[in-house]
Amino acid sequence: MSASDGVDDLEDINWTFGGSDTQYLTHGLHNYPARMVPKIPDTLLGHYKDQGVIADGDLVYDPFSGSGTTAVEGRLHGLNAEGNDINPFAVMLSKAKSIPLERGGLNEARDALVDGLSSDLREVRDEYERAGKVKWLEMPDVRDGWFPEPQLHELTALRDRIDNIEDEFGRKYARFFRIVLSHTTRKVSYQRNGEYKRYRLSEEDRADHNPDVETIFTKKLKQNMEKMREYSNRVDHNLDTTIHYSDSRTAVEDVGESEADIVITSPPYGDHQTTVAYGQFSQDPALLTGTVTYDEMKDVDKTGLGGKYDVLEPLSDLEEYSPTLKATLDTLREKDGRADDAMDFFRDYYAVMEQVGEITKSGQPVAWVVANRTMSRVNIPTHLITRELCEHLGYEFDVNLPREIPNKTLPWENAPENVEGTKGDLMANENIVILRAP
Protein backbone atom coordinates (compact mmCIF):
# COMPACT_ATOMS: atom_id res chain seq x y z
CA MET A 1 0.00 0.00 0.00
CA SER A 2 1.23 3.52 -0.83
CA ALA A 3 2.31 5.92 1.89
CA SER A 4 -0.22 8.43 0.56
CA ASP A 5 -3.20 6.11 1.14
CA GLY A 6 -5.35 7.01 4.14
CA VAL A 7 -4.67 10.76 3.94
CA ASP A 8 -8.34 11.46 4.59
CA ASP A 9 -8.04 9.58 7.89
CA LEU A 10 -5.13 11.82 8.91
CA GLU A 11 -7.08 14.97 8.09
CA ASP A 12 -9.97 13.82 10.30
CA ILE A 13 -7.73 13.86 13.41
CA ASN A 14 -7.53 16.86 15.75
CA TRP A 15 -3.75 17.19 15.85
CA THR A 16 -3.69 19.73 18.67
CA PHE A 17 -4.11 16.98 21.30
CA GLY A 18 -5.01 19.59 23.89
CA GLY A 19 -4.86 18.23 27.42
CA SER A 20 -3.11 15.02 26.42
CA ASP A 21 -0.56 13.50 28.80
CA THR A 22 2.95 14.37 27.59
CA GLN A 23 4.76 12.76 30.55
CA TYR A 24 3.69 9.13 30.26
CA LEU A 25 6.27 6.37 30.51
CA THR A 26 9.82 7.59 29.83
CA HIS A 27 8.60 10.78 28.14
CA GLY A 28 8.47 12.13 31.69
CA LEU A 29 12.07 11.40 32.68
CA HIS A 30 13.30 14.96 32.07
CA ASN A 31 12.07 18.28 30.71
CA TYR A 32 13.33 19.61 27.38
CA PRO A 33 12.44 22.80 25.49
CA ALA A 34 10.07 22.73 22.49
CA ARG A 35 9.51 19.00 22.92
CA MET A 36 7.29 17.39 20.32
CA VAL A 37 3.97 16.18 21.74
CA PRO A 38 4.31 12.35 21.95
CA LYS A 39 0.84 11.85 20.49
CA ILE A 40 2.09 13.13 17.11
CA PRO A 41 4.57 10.30 16.42
CA ASP A 42 2.30 7.86 18.28
CA THR A 43 -0.62 8.68 15.98
CA LEU A 44 1.44 8.78 12.80
CA LEU A 45 3.16 5.48 13.51
CA GLY A 46 -0.12 3.82 14.41
CA HIS A 47 -1.71 5.12 11.21
CA TYR A 48 1.08 3.94 8.92
CA LYS A 49 1.24 0.52 10.60
CA ASP A 50 -2.51 0.14 10.14
CA GLN A 51 -2.08 1.09 6.47
CA GLY A 52 0.68 -1.49 6.01
CA VAL A 53 3.21 1.20 5.08
CA ILE A 54 5.51 0.21 7.95
CA ALA A 55 5.74 -3.02 9.95
CA ASP A 56 7.31 -4.41 13.11
CA GLY A 57 11.09 -4.31 12.96
CA ASP A 58 11.23 -1.38 10.51
CA LEU A 59 13.33 1.72 11.20
CA VAL A 60 12.03 5.14 12.25
CA TYR A 61 14.55 7.97 11.91
CA ASP A 62 14.69 11.46 13.44
CA PRO A 63 17.45 13.84 12.28
CA PHE A 64 16.69 16.19 15.23
CA SER A 65 16.37 13.70 18.05
CA GLY A 66 16.12 16.26 20.86
CA SER A 67 14.70 14.52 23.90
CA GLY A 68 14.05 11.29 22.00
CA THR A 69 10.26 11.53 21.60
CA THR A 70 10.25 9.84 18.19
CA ALA A 71 12.66 7.14 19.36
CA VAL A 72 10.51 6.30 22.39
CA GLU A 73 7.33 6.09 20.31
CA GLY A 74 9.14 4.06 17.67
CA ARG A 75 10.16 1.47 20.25
CA LEU A 76 6.61 1.42 21.67
CA HIS A 77 5.33 0.66 18.16
CA GLY A 78 7.74 -2.23 17.62
CA LEU A 79 10.29 -0.36 15.51
CA ASN A 80 14.02 0.16 15.60
CA ALA A 81 14.90 3.81 16.18
CA GLU A 82 17.76 5.95 14.95
CA GLY A 83 18.53 9.64 15.24
CA ASN A 84 21.08 12.44 15.23
CA ASP A 85 21.69 15.43 17.46
CA ILE A 86 24.51 17.94 17.86
CA ASN A 87 23.68 18.46 21.53
CA PRO A 88 25.49 15.82 23.60
CA PHE A 89 22.97 16.18 26.40
CA ALA A 90 20.11 15.51 23.95
CA VAL A 91 21.92 12.36 22.79
CA MET A 92 22.24 11.18 26.39
CA LEU A 93 18.59 11.96 27.13
CA SER A 94 17.32 10.27 23.95
CA LYS A 95 19.20 7.10 24.80
CA ALA A 96 18.14 7.14 28.45
CA LYS A 97 14.48 7.47 27.50
CA SER A 98 14.34 4.98 24.63
CA ILE A 99 16.70 2.15 25.59
CA PRO A 100 14.86 -0.20 28.00
CA LEU A 101 16.58 -1.39 31.17
CA GLU A 102 16.02 -4.75 32.81
CA ARG A 103 14.16 -4.46 36.12
CA GLY A 104 16.59 -6.63 38.07
CA GLY A 105 19.71 -4.86 36.88
CA LEU A 106 18.14 -1.45 37.43
CA ASN A 107 17.12 -2.26 40.99
CA GLU A 108 20.56 -3.61 41.81
CA ALA A 109 22.30 -0.55 40.38
CA ARG A 110 19.88 1.75 42.22
CA ASP A 111 20.57 0.02 45.52
CA ALA A 112 24.32 0.41 45.02
CA LEU A 113 23.87 4.09 44.18
CA VAL A 114 21.82 5.05 47.24
CA ASP A 115 23.61 2.81 49.75
CA GLY A 116 25.43 5.21 52.06
CA LEU A 117 24.35 8.27 50.08
CA SER A 118 23.08 10.21 53.07
CA SER A 119 26.29 9.84 55.04
CA ASP A 120 28.42 10.69 51.99
CA LEU A 121 26.51 13.91 51.33
CA ARG A 122 26.63 14.82 55.01
CA GLU A 123 30.38 14.32 55.01
CA VAL A 124 30.75 16.54 51.92
CA ARG A 125 28.57 19.26 53.48
CA ASP A 126 30.50 19.14 56.78
CA GLU A 127 33.86 19.32 55.01
CA TYR A 128 32.73 22.25 52.86
CA GLU A 129 31.45 24.17 55.88
CA ARG A 130 34.70 23.46 57.75
CA ALA A 131 37.24 24.17 54.99
CA GLY A 132 35.35 26.02 52.25
CA LYS A 133 36.19 23.23 49.80
CA VAL A 134 36.21 19.45 49.55
CA LYS A 135 39.68 18.37 48.52
CA TRP A 136 38.68 14.94 47.21
CA LEU A 137 36.16 16.36 44.73
CA GLU A 138 37.07 17.58 41.24
CA MET A 139 34.55 20.36 40.70
CA PRO A 140 32.66 20.66 37.38
CA ASP A 141 33.37 23.47 34.93
CA VAL A 142 30.15 25.37 35.60
CA ARG A 143 30.08 29.17 35.59
CA ASP A 144 30.56 30.98 38.90
CA GLY A 145 27.47 32.27 40.63
CA TRP A 146 24.94 29.81 39.24
CA PHE A 147 24.72 27.44 42.23
CA PRO A 148 24.67 27.60 46.01
CA GLU A 149 28.16 26.30 46.76
CA PRO A 150 27.37 23.66 49.42
CA GLN A 151 24.80 22.04 47.11
CA LEU A 152 27.16 22.22 44.14
CA HIS A 153 29.62 20.10 46.11
CA GLU A 154 26.89 17.61 46.94
CA LEU A 155 25.90 17.38 43.27
CA THR A 156 29.54 16.70 42.43
CA ALA A 157 29.66 13.89 45.00
CA LEU A 158 26.56 12.41 43.37
CA ARG A 159 28.29 12.60 39.98
CA ASP A 160 31.22 10.62 41.37
CA ARG A 161 28.91 7.95 42.79
CA ILE A 162 27.28 7.57 39.37
CA ASP A 163 30.75 7.24 37.81
CA ASN A 164 31.30 4.30 40.15
CA ILE A 165 27.99 2.80 39.04
CA GLU A 166 29.17 3.00 35.43
CA ASP A 167 32.35 1.12 36.36
CA GLU A 168 30.38 -1.62 38.13
CA PHE A 169 27.10 -1.90 36.18
CA GLY A 170 27.77 -0.30 32.78
CA ARG A 171 27.04 2.87 30.87
CA LYS A 172 23.31 2.41 30.26
CA TYR A 173 22.51 2.28 33.98
CA ALA A 174 24.80 5.22 34.74
CA ARG A 175 23.16 7.18 31.91
CA PHE A 176 19.74 6.65 33.47
CA PHE A 177 20.99 7.98 36.81
CA ARG A 178 22.74 10.93 35.15
CA ILE A 179 19.35 12.08 33.85
CA VAL A 180 18.08 12.11 37.44
CA LEU A 181 21.17 14.09 38.41
CA SER A 182 20.49 16.51 35.57
CA HIS A 183 16.94 17.12 36.81
CA THR A 184 18.33 17.68 40.31
CA THR A 185 20.95 20.08 38.94
CA ARG A 186 18.32 22.32 37.37
CA LYS A 187 16.25 22.33 40.56
CA VAL A 188 19.29 23.15 42.70
CA SER A 189 20.78 25.85 40.45
CA TYR A 190 19.84 29.52 40.42
CA GLN A 191 18.28 29.02 36.98
CA ARG A 192 14.76 30.47 36.84
CA ASN A 193 12.16 27.76 36.31
CA GLY A 194 10.24 27.78 33.02
CA GLU A 195 13.01 29.51 31.07
CA TYR A 196 14.61 28.01 27.97
CA LYS A 197 17.61 30.38 28.15
CA ARG A 198 19.98 31.09 31.04
CA TYR A 199 18.33 33.53 33.44
CA ARG A 200 19.21 33.59 37.13
CA LEU A 201 16.97 34.11 40.11
CA SER A 202 17.08 37.60 41.56
CA GLU A 203 19.67 38.21 44.29
CA GLU A 204 16.89 38.31 46.86
CA ASP A 205 15.51 34.95 45.73
CA ARG A 206 19.00 33.45 45.61
CA ALA A 207 19.52 34.31 49.26
CA ASP A 208 16.47 32.21 50.18
CA HIS A 209 17.31 29.33 47.83
CA ASN A 210 18.45 26.39 49.95
CA PRO A 211 17.34 23.17 48.21
CA ASP A 212 17.85 19.71 49.67
CA VAL A 213 19.91 17.80 47.09
CA GLU A 214 19.24 14.32 48.45
CA THR A 215 15.48 14.85 48.71
CA ILE A 216 15.19 16.17 45.16
CA PHE A 217 17.39 13.41 43.75
CA THR A 218 15.75 10.47 45.55
CA LYS A 219 12.21 11.70 44.78
CA LYS A 220 12.97 12.01 41.06
CA LEU A 221 14.85 8.69 41.10
CA LYS A 222 11.77 6.91 42.46
CA GLN A 223 9.53 8.51 39.81
CA ASN A 224 11.90 7.70 36.95
CA MET A 225 12.41 4.14 38.13
CA GLU A 226 8.67 3.50 37.91
CA LYS A 227 8.44 5.12 34.46
CA MET A 228 11.31 2.99 33.16
CA ARG A 229 9.80 -0.22 34.61
CA GLU A 230 6.51 0.45 32.81
CA TYR A 231 8.26 1.36 29.56
CA SER A 232 10.59 -1.62 29.73
CA ASN A 233 7.63 -3.98 30.16
CA ARG A 234 6.02 -2.66 26.97
CA VAL A 235 8.87 -2.70 24.45
CA ASP A 236 10.75 -5.43 22.62
CA HIS A 237 14.25 -5.59 24.08
CA ASN A 238 15.55 -7.25 20.92
CA LEU A 239 15.12 -4.04 18.93
CA ASP A 240 17.74 -1.30 18.78
CA THR A 241 18.02 2.41 19.46
CA THR A 242 20.96 4.28 17.91
CA ILE A 243 21.41 8.01 18.54
CA HIS A 244 24.41 9.60 16.86
CA TYR A 245 26.21 12.55 18.44
CA SER A 246 26.70 14.16 15.05
CA ASP A 247 25.34 16.68 12.58
CA SER A 248 22.19 15.84 10.62
CA ARG A 249 23.61 17.89 7.71
CA THR A 250 25.96 14.95 7.10
CA ALA A 251 23.73 12.19 8.50
CA VAL A 252 24.14 9.76 5.60
CA GLU A 253 27.67 9.12 6.87
CA ASP A 254 26.18 7.68 10.08
CA VAL A 255 22.86 6.18 9.01
CA GLY A 256 23.46 5.08 5.42
CA GLU A 257 21.34 5.30 2.27
CA SER A 258 17.79 3.90 1.94
CA GLU A 259 17.71 2.70 5.55
CA ALA A 260 14.70 4.45 7.11
CA ASP A 261 11.14 3.24 6.59
CA ILE A 262 9.63 6.41 8.07
CA VAL A 263 10.90 9.77 9.32
CA ILE A 264 9.18 11.88 11.98
CA THR A 265 10.98 14.98 13.13
CA SER A 266 10.48 18.43 14.64
CA PRO A 267 13.26 20.69 13.30
CA PRO A 268 14.42 23.78 15.18
CA TYR A 269 12.24 26.83 14.55
CA GLY A 270 15.22 28.99 13.74
CA ASP A 271 18.79 29.51 14.85
CA HIS A 272 19.21 28.46 18.48
CA GLN A 273 20.46 31.80 19.71
CA THR A 274 17.31 33.78 18.82
CA THR A 275 14.64 31.09 19.24
CA VAL A 276 15.06 28.00 21.44
CA ALA A 277 18.53 27.85 22.98
CA TYR A 278 18.91 24.09 23.44
CA GLY A 279 22.55 24.44 24.40
CA GLN A 280 21.86 27.02 27.10
CA PHE A 281 19.07 24.86 28.52
CA SER A 282 21.37 21.83 28.65
CA GLN A 283 24.65 23.43 29.69
CA ASP A 284 24.82 23.03 33.47
CA PRO A 285 22.96 19.69 33.63
CA ALA A 286 25.33 18.30 30.99
CA LEU A 287 28.43 19.60 32.75
CA LEU A 288 27.33 18.09 36.07
CA THR A 289 27.06 14.67 34.43
CA GLY A 290 30.80 14.78 33.88
CA THR A 291 30.53 13.41 30.35
CA VAL A 292 30.93 16.58 28.25
CA THR A 293 33.08 19.71 28.28
CA TYR A 294 32.17 23.37 28.64
CA ASP A 295 33.39 24.12 25.10
CA GLU A 296 31.18 21.38 23.67
CA MET A 297 28.11 22.86 25.33
CA LYS A 298 28.95 26.43 24.33
CA ASP A 299 29.18 25.32 20.69
CA VAL A 300 25.72 23.68 20.55
CA ASP A 301 23.77 26.85 19.79
CA LYS A 302 26.48 28.20 17.49
CA THR A 303 26.57 25.08 15.32
CA GLY A 304 22.81 24.56 15.08
CA LEU A 305 20.89 25.37 11.90
CA GLY A 306 21.65 28.96 10.95
CA GLY A 307 24.12 29.31 13.82
CA LYS A 308 27.17 31.58 14.02
CA TYR A 309 29.51 28.80 12.95
CA ASP A 310 28.94 28.36 9.22
CA VAL A 311 29.04 24.63 8.54
CA LEU A 312 28.08 24.83 4.87
CA GLU A 313 29.04 27.02 1.94
CA PRO A 314 26.48 29.65 0.84
CA LEU A 315 23.81 28.37 -1.58
CA SER A 316 22.87 31.36 -3.71
CA ASP A 317 20.25 29.45 -5.73
CA LEU A 318 18.24 28.36 -2.68
CA GLU A 319 15.53 31.00 -2.91
CA GLU A 320 14.91 30.04 -6.55
CA TYR A 321 13.90 26.58 -5.31
CA SER A 322 11.04 28.00 -3.21
CA PRO A 323 8.85 30.90 -4.40
CA THR A 324 7.64 31.37 -0.82
CA LEU A 325 11.19 31.62 0.50
CA LYS A 326 12.07 34.14 -2.22
CA ALA A 327 9.04 36.29 -1.40
CA THR A 328 9.86 36.11 2.31
CA LEU A 329 13.50 37.09 1.79
CA ASP A 330 12.49 39.95 -0.54
CA THR A 331 10.15 41.28 2.16
CA LEU A 332 12.91 41.05 4.77
CA ARG A 333 15.30 42.90 2.46
CA GLU A 334 12.74 45.66 1.88
CA LYS A 335 12.48 46.12 5.65
CA ASP A 336 16.25 45.94 6.09
CA GLY A 337 15.50 42.88 8.17
CA ARG A 338 17.34 39.64 8.90
CA ALA A 339 17.31 38.21 5.38
CA ASP A 340 20.83 36.79 5.68
CA ASP A 341 19.96 35.01 8.94
CA ALA A 342 16.85 33.50 7.34
CA MET A 343 18.86 32.37 4.33
CA ASP A 344 21.50 30.76 6.56
CA PHE A 345 18.83 28.83 8.46
CA PHE A 346 17.04 27.55 5.37
CA ARG A 347 20.34 26.69 3.66
CA ASP A 348 21.17 24.41 6.59
CA TYR A 349 17.61 23.06 6.77
CA TYR A 350 17.73 22.25 3.04
CA ALA A 351 20.94 20.28 3.57
CA VAL A 352 19.11 18.13 6.14
CA MET A 353 16.26 17.60 3.68
CA GLU A 354 18.82 16.31 1.16
CA GLN A 355 20.28 13.90 3.70
CA VAL A 356 16.86 12.65 4.83
CA GLY A 357 15.89 12.06 1.20
CA GLU A 358 18.90 9.78 0.79
CA ILE A 359 18.41 8.01 4.13
CA THR A 360 14.71 7.24 3.60
CA LYS A 361 13.51 4.48 1.31
CA SER A 362 11.84 5.82 -1.84
CA GLY A 363 8.12 6.51 -1.45
CA GLN A 364 8.13 6.18 2.34
CA PRO A 365 6.61 8.92 4.55
CA VAL A 366 8.61 11.84 5.92
CA ALA A 367 6.80 14.06 8.44
CA TRP A 368 8.22 17.50 9.29
CA VAL A 369 6.57 19.09 12.35
CA VAL A 370 7.31 22.78 11.82
CA ALA A 371 6.27 26.04 13.46
CA ASN A 372 5.95 29.36 11.71
CA ARG A 373 7.78 32.26 13.31
CA THR A 374 8.51 35.92 12.70
CA MET A 375 11.80 37.64 11.89
CA SER A 376 11.94 41.43 11.88
CA ARG A 377 8.15 41.31 12.20
CA VAL A 378 7.84 39.34 8.96
CA ASN A 379 5.97 36.04 9.12
CA ILE A 380 8.07 33.08 7.97
CA PRO A 381 5.70 30.42 6.52
CA THR A 382 8.01 27.51 7.26
CA HIS A 383 5.44 24.86 6.29
CA LEU A 384 5.15 26.21 2.74
CA ILE A 385 8.90 26.64 2.39
CA THR A 386 9.42 23.09 3.70
CA ARG A 387 7.07 21.68 1.09
CA GLU A 388 8.60 23.64 -1.82
CA LEU A 389 12.23 22.86 -0.93
CA CYS A 390 11.41 19.17 -0.48
CA GLU A 391 9.55 19.06 -3.78
CA HIS A 392 12.59 20.58 -5.49
CA LEU A 393 14.57 17.59 -4.16
CA GLY A 394 12.04 15.14 -5.61
CA TYR A 395 9.80 14.51 -2.60
CA GLU A 396 6.10 14.09 -3.36
CA PHE A 397 3.68 16.07 -1.18
CA ASP A 398 0.92 14.17 0.62
CA VAL A 399 -0.79 16.40 3.16
CA ASN A 400 -0.38 19.38 5.49
CA LEU A 401 -1.94 18.93 8.94
CA PRO A 402 -2.30 22.18 10.96
CA ARG A 403 -2.30 22.16 14.75
CA GLU A 404 -2.27 24.62 17.62
CA ILE A 405 0.45 24.54 20.27
CA PRO A 406 -1.31 24.17 23.62
CA ASN A 407 1.51 23.66 26.10
CA LYS A 408 5.04 23.76 24.70
CA THR A 409 7.87 25.52 26.52
CA LEU A 410 8.49 28.12 23.84
CA PRO A 411 9.34 31.79 23.38
CA TRP A 412 5.90 33.13 22.51
CA GLU A 413 7.32 36.61 22.08
CA ASN A 414 10.70 37.96 21.11
CA ALA A 415 12.33 41.25 20.29
CA PRO A 416 12.41 40.87 16.49
CA GLU A 417 14.80 43.74 15.88
CA ASN A 418 16.75 42.84 19.02
CA VAL A 419 15.70 46.20 20.46
CA GLU A 420 15.08 46.00 24.19
CA GLY A 421 11.41 46.48 24.99
CA THR A 422 10.23 45.80 21.44
CA LYS A 423 8.18 42.63 21.35
CA GLY A 424 6.47 40.65 18.60
CA ASP A 425 4.62 37.37 18.26
CA LEU A 426 7.04 34.55 17.54
CA MET A 427 5.39 31.12 17.29
CA ALA A 428 1.76 30.22 17.88
CA ASN A 429 0.95 27.26 15.62
CA GLU A 430 2.50 24.26 13.96
CA ASN A 431 2.00 22.30 10.76
CA ILE A 432 2.78 18.64 10.13
CA VAL A 433 4.05 18.53 6.55
CA ILE A 434 4.01 14.97 5.20
CA LEU A 435 5.76 14.05 1.98
CA ARG A 436 7.07 10.87 0.40
CA ALA A 437 10.79 10.40 0.01
CA PRO A 438 12.27 10.74 -3.50
Side-chain angles (χ1 to χ4, degrees):
M1 185 172 289
S2 151
S4 60
D5 289 338
V7 163
D8 289 346
D9 294 338
L10 291 175
E11 291 181 311
D12 288 340
I13 296 169
N14 180 354
W15 290 91
T16 296
F17 299 120
S20 68
D21 182 7
T22 62
Q23 303 294 317
Y24 62 87
L25 302 175
T26 54
H27 291 302
L29 292 190
H30 196 287
N31 290 336
Y32 198 76
R35 189 165 62 92
M36 180 165 49
V37 175
K39 286 297 292 182
I40 294 176
D42 174 39
T43 305
L44 288 172
L45 292 171
H47 167 79
Y48 286 114
K49 282 192 78 174
D50 289 345
Q51 294 290 320
V53 175
I54 57 174
D56 286 346
D58 281 353
L59 175 66
V60 60
Y61 173 64
D62 184 351
F64 302 103
S65 186
S67 67
T69 302
T70 293
V72 169
E73 287 301 322
R75 295 296 300 266
L76 287 168
H77 282 269
L79 306 175
N80 295 292
E82 195 157 358
N84 288 77
D85 211 286
I86 59 169
N87 180 353
F89 178 75
V91 173
M92 182 191 307
L93 180 56
S94 293
K95 291 179 178 179
K97 287 171 60 175
S98 60
I99 297 174
L101 300 177
E102 298 288 351
R103 177 189 292 263
L106 183 58
N107 287 343
E108 188 178 354
R110 185 271 319 274
D111 291 345
L113 176 63
V114 300
D115 182 36
L117 177 61
S118 295
S119 59
D120 271 8
L121 296 183
R122 193 178 311 115
E123 182 182 7
V124 166
R125 175 66 73 106
D126 290 345
E127 179 66 12
Y128 176 79
E129 291 177 350
R130 184 190 69 79
K133 61 180 181 180
V134 181
K135 59 185 178 181
W136 61 84
L137 294 178
E138 182 178 345
M139 299 304 292
D141 191 18
V142 295
R143 302 303 89 182
D144 292 338
W146 281 88
F147 289 86
E149 283 296 322
Q151 284 90 341
L152 179 58
H153 284 73
E154 292 178 336
L155 290 169
T156 305
L158 262 170
R159 178 204 66 194
D160 290 352
R161 290 180 73 92
I162 294 172
D163 288 346
N164 293 335
I165 292 296
E166 181 164 343
D167 292 340
E168 185 175 355
F169 294 92
R171 180 176 298 176
K172 62 182 181 180
Y173 292 105
R175 183 192 298 124
F176 178 81
F177 298 134
R178 293 191 205 282
I179 296 305
V180 182
L181 176 60
S182 171
H183 166 87
T184 309
T185 297
R186 284 192 65 82
K187 292 290 187 182
V188 167
S189 78
Y190 291 138
Q191 170 76 28
R192 290 198 322 230
N193 286 329
E195 298 283 358
Y196 66 99
K197 290 188 177 180
R198 285 170 63 83
Y199 294 111
R200 275 189 295 186
L201 297 170
S202 67
E203 287 192 33
E204 181 181 356
D205 288 339
R206 275 179 255 163
D208 296 330
H209 187 61
N210 186 32
D212 186 316
V213 170
E214 183 179 4
T215 297
I216 296 170
F217 182 84
T218 53
K219 179 181 178 182
K220 185 61 174 174
L221 176 61
K222 181 179 180 181
Q223 293 171 348
N224 282 11
M225 290 279 294
E226 185 55 38
K227 287 180 177 295
M228 175 54 74
R229 289 187 190 111
E230 293 178 21
Y231 172 75
S232 184
N233 287 338
R234 289 182 52 178
V235 300
D236 183 347
H237 289 227
N238 293 317
L239 296 173
D240 291 320
T241 298
T242 305
I243 310 295
H244 304 281
Y245 174 30
S246 61
D247 197 325
S248 55
R249 286 163 287 198
T250 56
V252 172
E253 296 175 5
D254 297 311
V255 185
E257 297 181 3
S258 298
E259 293 289 340
D261 298 282
I262 187 170
V263 174
I264 304 173
T265 190
S266 180
Y269 303 119
D271 63 282
H272 293 188
Q273 294 188 308
T274 59
T275 56
V276 180
Y278 299 97
Q280 287 189 35
F281 175 88
S282 307
Q283 181 175 307
D284 287 336
L287 293 174
L288 255 299
T289 66
T291 59
V292 298
T293 68
Y294 176 75
D295 287 340
E296 280 183 284
M297 294 312 303
K298 289 293 287 185
D299 282 348
V300 168
D301 293 328
K302 296 175 182 177
T303 54
L305 303 193
K308 285 185 176 180
Y309 292 167
D310 284 338
V311 177
L312 303 174
E313 293 297 319
L315 185 58
S316 58
D317 293 337
L318 186 64
E319 59 190 290
E320 303 304 323
Y321 305 160
S322 165
T324 305
L325 177 58
K326 179 174 174 52
T328 302
L329 294 174
D330 286 344
T331 303
L332 285 168
R333 292 177 185 123
E334 289 171 6
K335 291 175 60 72
D336 196 23
R338 297 173 52 208
D340 289 346
D341 290 344
M343 174 62 95
D344 287 346
F345 172 78
F346 283 105
R347 172 204 62 193
D348 290 353
Y349 184 23
Y350 181 76
V352 178
M353 295 173 182
E354 288 185 294
Q355 295 288 296
V356 168
E358 294 183 37
I359 287 168
T360 312
K361 295 173 182 176
S362 179
Q364 291 299 103
V366 176
W368 307 91
V369 183
V370 299
N372 296 343
R373 61 171 298 205
T374 60
M375 296 179 71
S376 304
R377 300 196 177 198
V378 174
N379 182 56
I380 313 296
T382 308
H383 64 302
L384 299 178
I385 297 170
T386 297
R387 173 180 175 175
E388 291 168 359
L389 291 178
C390 281
E391 287 180 325
H392 177 78
L393 288 167
Y395 289 78
E396 291 188 35
F397 175 74
D398 266 355
V399 65
N400 184 81
L401 306 169
R403 65 179 301 271
E404 297 302 312
I405 305 179
N407 53 9
K408 270 195 176 183
T409 301
L410 287 172
W412 292 101
E413 292 184 326
N414 75 330
E417 291 87 12
N418 294 317
V419 177
E420 187 175 354
T422 303
K423 299 282 188 178
D425 291 338
L426 187 64
M427 291 170 284
N429 60 81
E430 285 184 333
N431 287 274
I432 306 170
V433 186
I434 302 180
L435 306 101
R436 282 171 286 150

